[in-house]
Each structure stands twice: as C-alpha cells, then as structure tokens.
Amino acid sequence: MRDIRSEFPALSDEVVYLDSGATSIKPRRVLDAVRDYYENFPANVHRGGYPWANRATELYERARKKVASLINAESEEVIFTKNATEGLNLAAHILDPLVGEGDRIIVSILEHHANFLPWMRLARRKGAEFSIARITAEGYLDLEDLERRMTPNTKVVAITMASNVLGTIPPLREVVKLARRVGAYVVLDGAQYLPHRRVDVKALGAHFISFSGHKAFAPMGTGILWGRAEILRDGSPLLVGGSMIRHVREDGYDLADSPNRYEAGTPNVGGVIGLGEAVDFILEVGYERMAEHEARLTEYLWEALADIPGLERYGPPPKDRTSLVAFNVAGVHPHDVAWYLGEMGIMVRSGGHCAHPLHAHLGIPYGQSVRASLSIFNTTEDVDRLVEGIRKVRKVFGV
Ligand SMILES: Cc1ncc(COP(=O)(O)O)c(C=O)c1O
C-alpha cells in the first residue's frame, strides 16, 4: 500500500482522506498528463491543423478509445461530459420525445438526486407517472417491488449501480431483464461503481450509463455518458453551437454524428487527457486488486465502527456493496462530527449526500449522516484514526 500511497501527492502522514465517494484524489501520473498538455501543446481540439492542435486532438480521442475499451463500448458511444449529473440529464433529454402522458418512469429510493430529479422533472412535464421502487429492510433494491411496478406503459427505468449512502449494488442484470421485458429504456448511474468495479456495457445490456471521471482518479470537470449507438444516432443534443454540426445554412443545420453531436463548444481537453491517464492507472492497479483491498478494509471499518457506543451504521454488513459506510453518532449532529474530525486531519463527508428521499425513507436523524468512503490508497491505520477521532468527538460533546 505504501507504493500506491506514494502515487498520490495530496496524501501525507497527517492526512486521512475518507471522501473518495465525493471525488477521488488524483495520482501523480494524471496530474503530470494534465500539466504536460498545458505546458507543451495547450491548443483546442478538432479545429486547428498545426502540431499542438493535432497532438491535443490525438490525446483527447485516445482517451475516448481508452474509456471505450475499459467499459467494453464502441468509441462513438462514449460522450465526454463534465460530471455524471450532466450525463444523466443528457440521457433524459434524449429520451424526452419517447415519454408521453400516462407513461411511467421508474427510479429507486436509493437514487442520488442526479438520477432522481431529471426523471421527476421529465415525468411532471409530460404528465407521466413517477414511480419509486423500494428497498428491502437490509437496504438492497427490492426486485419484487420493482417487478410489480413494471407496467406495460413503463418507458424508462433509471437505477443506480451502487448506492452512495448504503453502498449496496442492485442486481443489475435482473433489473435490465425486467425492464426490457416491458420494452422500457434502462439508464444506469455508474458514478459510484466505475471507481471500484469493472463495467461491461455489452454484458449489462442497458441503454445509457453515466459516470463521473472525477470519482475515478481523473481531473475535476470530467464525466462520461455511454449510450447505445442506435439511440445516439438520432438523439437531440442538450447544447447546440460549435463543433457539433456538419453544416449550417441560413435556413437550418445538419447535426454531426455521435459523439461530436453531443459535445458542443470547447471541451475540457486537459481534463479528458487526464481521464485517459486515469484509465491507465485503474488498469495498472487492476480492479481485482482494488476490490480485494477495499472489501477487506470495508469489513474492517464496519467492525471497528460497531465498537463505538451510540454509533448507528446504515446499510447491510459489507457484502455486495462498495467501500463506504454512512453512520450517525447519537447526540452529535453529523456536521459537528465531520467538522471535528476535519480538525484532526480526518476528512469525511456529512449531510444528505444528495439522497434526501433515501434519508427520509430510512428515518435517519436530522435527515443527514456522516459518510466514510474508502479507496485503494486507504489503510487500516486510516480507519483506526477515524475510530479514535470519533471517540474524541463523543468526549467533546459529553455523550
Ligand atoms: C450515485 C451518484 N450518482 C451521481 C452523482 C453525481 O455525480 P457528479 O458529481 O459527477 O455529477 C454522485 C455524486 O456523488 C453519486 O454518488
């Protein structure tokens, strides 16, 4: 682990970073790739024919190929966005004409607002039903409940690949199978999945999957929307303007093919080049090694938190879940827990985690929680410092 830790310049012995669920810190090689771009060929892409522009375009498009290969997709199915939220909004925009009055859109109560609001808004605007699938008492997606909701008028099923609060992973292949049986489009939110588990879009069989690049070791301002080529071929872009048209006349315009069609204006060239490097980092570390390390550490975290009096953990014990644990400390507001931990160099997130409906559904005090999320560079010492820190916070508050 020492080797991996040394690849992250932001880490030091003073720092315990337990907020990779919000965004990952970046390996040196990603930072170097971004710096190389800005220092040595800082030109725009898809425009100039001079050497800087050619190099920038080459590396930008190479990053697309790397992402496509990572998730087993075709290059034209990979659209660069600024985050997972933009990708999900774009998916909702492309599917907009297919949803009409009296149709149904299904999401789950596990969803982050990014995969909740675009669908709620679309349903409201079209006069469609907005149906929210439930979870089991343990916190897993309730497949039977989902199946009951899959009426023939269901047009879209939008489900997370991993909960950002409970860490649970829905049975994704079954979700897709059920949705396809009624002819619904399946949109998956892969923001919390890609940084931890291998994604194979062909094997999954969904129609869209949105990811955050910045949660998967890539620079801020990077995201990916994967969509099926046959849907992207005729879809309507969210933005119109430069670089996304074939030809513009006084009386109209012809759109370019995907992916350019969906990438209007100047993109985040340095960020995307960094994203390409992040893919190489993931492949070099290997998903197997990541999964094994994180599973062991999540188990350790789960057990260690159990020893703290008055601490309630949310979600099931770590099995089929990603490497995060949300919790509350009785008698202390989650923001106070996080603030005091921060003073000790321990960085965790507190709040509703953009999952207000889930917090309300679970009856979580304050509608908020503290969340510790782990990554490949975290160690058992990090967890020990968190536990020690929480004990100190309890002392400060006299609980
Ligand atoms: C499950 C899930 N979906 C979507 C998002 C939104 O991602 P982004 O901030 O990249 O838009 C997040 C971010 O926390 C998330 O955890």
Side-chain angles (χ1 to χ4, degrees), residues 142-316:
D142 184 338
L143 211 54
E144 284 175 18
D145 178 73
L146 182 70
E147 187 169 9
R148 275 194 297 274
R149 290 169 194 274
M150 295 264 192
T151 48
N153 61 341
T154 303
K155 286 288 159 44
V156 180
V157 178
I159 301 284
T160 188
M161 293 176 78
S163 162
N164 66 320
V165 178
L166 305 180
T168 47
I169 297 173
L172 300 167
R173 299 228 188 163
E174 280 80 1
V175 169
V176 173
K177 209 157 88 188
L178 288 176
R180 296 197 80 133
R181 208 184 283 161
V182 295
Y185 288 88
V186 183
V187 180
L188 298 178
D189 173 0
Q192 294 291 343
Y193 196 94
L194 187 72
H196 307 286
R197 309 238 174 165
R198 187 182 301 284
V199 174
D200 181 334
V201 299
K202 290 199 171 73
L204 275 170
H207 296 88
F208 286 103
I209 310 182
S210 190
F211 306 101
S212 315
H214 68 91
K215 292 190 205 288
F217 308 107
M220 295 310 239
T222 58
I224 303 149
L225 178 67
W226 167 80
R228 280 182 176 272
E230 64 267 26
I231 304 172
L232 295 178
R233 194 173 302 129
D234 300 316
S236 161
L238 258 180
L239 301 180
V240 288
S243 299
M244 49 76 69
I245 34 78
R246 218 189 291 280
H247 191 60
V248 182
R249 304 171 302 279
E250 286 202 25
D251 63 350
Y253 58 91
D254 303 315
L255 292 172
D257 291 337
S258 179
N260 301 29
R261 182 189 194 93
Y262 301 103
E263 293 180 9
T266 295
N268 179 0
V269 180
V272 167
I273 289 172
L275 172 59
E277 198 63 32
V279 170
D280 289 342
F281 173 79
I282 289 173
L283 291 175
E284 211 168 284
V285 174
Y287 274 116
E288 290 70 25
R289 189 169 156 213
M290 266 192 232
E292 195 190 314
H293 172 74
E294 290 176 14
R296 230 179 309 121
L297 204 55
T298 311
E299 184 83 42
Y300 186 79
L301 170 64
W302 180 260
E303 294 303 329
L305 291 175
D307 289 340
I308 301 175
L311 187 145
E312 187 180 4
R313 302 162 299 176
Y314 303 117

